[in-house]
Amino acid sequence: MAEVPKHGSQLDRIEGLLAQVLDRLTRMEERQNAQSAQIESHAAQIAEQSSRIRELELANAVANANTSALKGRWAAAGAVALVALGAIGGFLSRLVAPGILG
C-alpha cells in the first residue's frame, strides 16, 4: 500500500488559522491598552493645562481691572492738576495783565 502523503488535515489548517487570528487579536488588544493609557495621560495633561489657563485668565482679568482703576485715578489726578494750573494761570494773569496793559 502506498502511503498517503500527510499535508495536514483540514482541522490542522483551521487550527493554524485560528492561532493566527488569536495572535492578531492579542496584538490588537495590547495596542488598544497602550493607546488607552496614552489617552488617559493626555486627558490628565489637558486637565492640568485647563486649570493653568483658568488661573492665567483670572490673573489677567484682575490685572485688567486694576489697570482700569489706575487709569481712572491718573485721569482724576490729571484733571485736578489742570484745574490747579488754570487757577494759577488766572491768578498770574490778573497780576501781570495790569502791569502790561496799564
Side-chain angles (χ1 to χ4, degrees):
M1 290 197 188
E3 203 163 309
V4 178
K6 210 173 187 187
H7 295 294
S9 67
Q10 186 174 6
L11 182 60
D12 291 337
R13 284 181 283 168
I14 290 173
E15 286 177 350
L17 292 174
L18 281 176
Q20 288 178 356
V21 168
L22 288 175
D23 185 48
R24 288 181 182 171
L25 285 173
T26 301
R27 284 183 278 156
M28 284 175 44
E29 185 179 5
E30 289 171 356
R31 279 194 307 264
Q32 184 180 13
N33 288 341
Q35 289 173 346
S36 174
Q38 284 181 337
I39 289 172
E40 289 175 6
S41 170
H42 290 161
Q45 289 174 353
I46 288 172
E48 181 182 340
Q49 295 297 332
S50 175
S51 80
R52 286 182 181 177
I53 288 171
R54 192 175 311 112
E55 289 172 5
L56 287 174
E57 286 176 342
L58 180 61
N60 189 29
V62 169
N64 286 340
N66 288 341
T67 301
S68 297
L70 288 176
K71 284 181 183 177
R73 290 178 189 156
W74 280 110
V80 169
L82 286 176
V83 168
L85 285 175
I88 292 170
F91 178 73
L92 289 177
S93 69
R94 286 190 200 142
L95 291 177
V96 174
I100 294 174
L101 295 176

